[in-house]
Amino acid sequence: MSLRNSWPVSILRSAVLIPLFVVGCPSIVLTQLLGFLVFRTWFPNPGYLQAVINVTKTHFIILLTFISQVISPTTINVTYDPNVVGEGAFTTNAKNQLVSHLSPNSVIMSNHQIYTDWLYLWFIAYTSQLSSCIYIVLKDLSKIPVLGQGMKNYNFLFLSRKWAADKPVLTRQLGEIDANARGVGPANGVTPITEETKLAAVWPPSVPEGQPKQVWPYELLIFPEGTVMSNRTVNKSREFCKEQGRKPLENVLLPRVRGLFLALRKLRHSVEFVYDFTTGYGDLGQYEFGEDKFSLKRFYLRGYGPPSINYYVDAYRLSEIPLGAETDDVDDADPEDLRKFDEWLSQVWYAKDARMQQFYEHGKFVAKNSEVTVSARFGLYSVLEIVRPFLPVVTVLLVLRWVVKFLYKTVVN
């Protein structure tokens, strides 16, 4: 056990960082509420409101990244083929910090190893100047105090894991994201024509006359497996593979098809790339589960986080993915189109399974042929960024203090 994981250091560290988190999260939500108050109630402007919400997304990843880098310093290793993902897609700056150039209006999909997978992938968006436009598909966390409200305001896509309930919610939210990216969504003051088109996420083709066409890019993060690896989920995945006559996956879970199929079909008019991240963590063996070794409790209270975060990144243009003909309701899609998409996704996941096997054998993703590996430290570009989540609320409080003092002096005099 290192000094960083000892109880005295853990207690001292928690005494500083827990209050920072406890104050930081309400500060971010208060910033959102101020945005709603000013730009929805007092001076209605959906574009300014969207801008406020986007800023608070960056505030949240700054807060979590700062806390995580203090608790468990780690290294990020990204392996990719520049001919596929793009020349210079991942580089480092003079301070050995990761700089990435992901395309806006894109989808990130990944295997699901630990509960903080989304944190590290959101950090990748931060290094690409896209942290403000992230949308995450995840299980319903809306009932968590403060945090849940903040994520609802972010318009994150919460799932109940029941298709009948999830389909209309995903359809509406994905329709909004796509429409905003084309400048014809609610962030531009455009609303659905009827209840039917609202459900189907069919939007008017243009903004109201005289209104500027502001576009709002997105980065959609989705885990097609739906859950993290565990003894239960691995056995369930292997059983389903056998039922379908497929070779059992050894290192990843069989992905769920319909959620990603729906997402790509609803975003097809705006999405540019689908980035496939294969995720492996240092010091996590082939037959170990991240939810045990790097649980939230062990990570944030004791500092037992992964010593390295390893990604193999692939990229696909939307034209390379079989999505079939467009329909308002995804369940009306031709079954043959869904079968072809299932086949494509399965091929991607079996390739991912093979890469994970390589990772467990070598402890890293081995760069081959034209592939390169970029290594950088995980952390904010500047520790001074940690003040940003608190600035809006502090500024408002200082202004209110000045107003109260001015009124008091006016009344007294």
Side-chain angles (χ1 to χ4, degrees), residues 155-371:
N155 202 27
F156 282 179
L157 297 87
F158 292 135
L159 301 181
S160 66
R161 295 176 180 171
K162 296 179 180 178
W163 181 245
D166 291 337
K167 184 183 72 171
V169 174
L170 286 174
T171 299
R172 176 182 60 79
Q173 289 185 271
L174 290 165
E176 290 179 359
I177 293 170
D178 172 70
N180 284 337
R182 294 184 287 115
V184 292
N188 283 79
V190 183
T191 55
I193 302 173
T194 65
E195 287 301 314
E196 287 74 18
T197 56
K198 182 177 181 180
L199 179 63
V202 177
W203 301 86
S206 61
V207 298
E209 185 177 354
Q211 183 171 328
K213 189 177 181 180
Q214 171 71 45
V215 296
W216 304 91
Y218 60 83
E219 197 80 15
L220 182 72
L221 173 57
I222 183 170
F223 299 98
E225 294 170 347
T227 186
V228 297
M229 293 188 70
S230 65
N231 189 59
R232 180 185 64 83
T233 58
V234 166
N235 289 334
K236 186 175 180 180
S237 173
R238 289 175 179 172
E239 289 175 4
F240 189 79
C241 285
K242 290 179 180 179
E243 290 175 3
Q244 297 293 314
R246 305 182 183 187
K247 177 184 175 182
L249 292 161
E250 297 296 328
N251 308 298
V252 293
L253 302 177
L254 190 69
R256 302 180 183 187
V257 176
R258 288 189 295 184
L260 182 62
F261 187 58
L262 170 60
L264 296 182
R265 284 168 66 92
K266 288 303 175 185
L267 297 175
R268 71 194 310 167
H269 297 295
S270 57
V271 71
E272 296 183 21
F273 285 95
V274 175
Y275 294 104
D276 175 33
F277 279 67
T278 301
T279 305
Y281 291 101
D283 200 31
L284 184 65
Q286 184 172 13
Y287 302 108
E288 294 180 312
F289 298 121
E291 68 169 359
D292 300 323
K293 194 162 189 175
F294 302 130
S295 67
L296 295 178
K297 181 179 179 181
R298 283 175 55 81
F299 186 113
Y300 286 105
L301 293 183
R302 298 301 308 281
Y304 288 107
S308 66
I309 306 158
N310 305 273
Y311 294 122
Y312 182 92
V313 183
D314 208 343
Y316 302 91
R317 291 188 178 275
L318 196 69
S319 58
E320 301 173 335
I321 303 173
L323 295 175
E326 187 171 1
T327 58
D328 290 339
D329 190 328
V330 69
D331 286 341
D332 292 334
D334 188 328
E336 181 63 15
D337 292 335
L338 181 60
R339 186 196 66 77
K340 290 180 180 178
F341 180 79
D342 186 4
E343 182 178 317
W344 171 83
L345 186 59
S346 294
Q347 290 176 354
V348 171
W349 239 252
Y350 276 100
K352 190 184 296 290
D353 189 55
R355 289 196 189 101
M356 287 302 298
Q357 184 66 39
Q358 175 202 75
F359 174 80
Y360 290 129
E361 291 174 358
H362 299 279
K364 62 181 180 179
F365 293 115
V366 180
K368 300 177 180 178
N369 301 323
S370 60
E371 297 172 350

Side-chain angles (χ1 to χ4, degrees), residues 112-185:
H112 209 354
Q113 293 270 65
I114 61 179
Y115 291 121
T116 49
D117 283 335
W118 58 270
L119 162 65
Y120 295 123
L121 289 169
W122 195 347
F123 172 77
I124 295 292
Y126 161 85
T127 68
S128 198
Q129 304 296 312
L130 294 171
S131 59
S132 64
C133 51
I134 196 83
Y135 293 90
I136 305 177
V137 182
L138 71 171
K139 68 177 182 180
D140 193 348
L141 302 176
S142 60
K143 295 181 181 179
I144 298 177
V146 185
L147 281 174
Q149 183 59 50
M151 287 187 283
K152 284 179 64 178
N153 294 337
Y154 290 154
N155 202 27
F156 282 179
L157 297 87
F158 292 135
L159 301 181
S160 66
R161 295 176 180 171
K162 296 179 180 178
W163 181 245
D166 291 337
K167 184 183 72 171
V169 174
L170 286 174
T171 299
R172 176 182 60 79
Q173 289 185 271
L174 290 165
E176 290 179 359
I177 293 170
D178 172 70
N180 284 337
R182 294 184 287 115
V184 292

Side-chain angles (χ1 to χ4, degrees), residues 403-413:
V403 170
V404 170
K405 288 181 66 176
F406 175 79
L407 292 175
Y408 176 76
K409 289 181 180 180
T410 302
V411 171
V412 171
N413 294 335

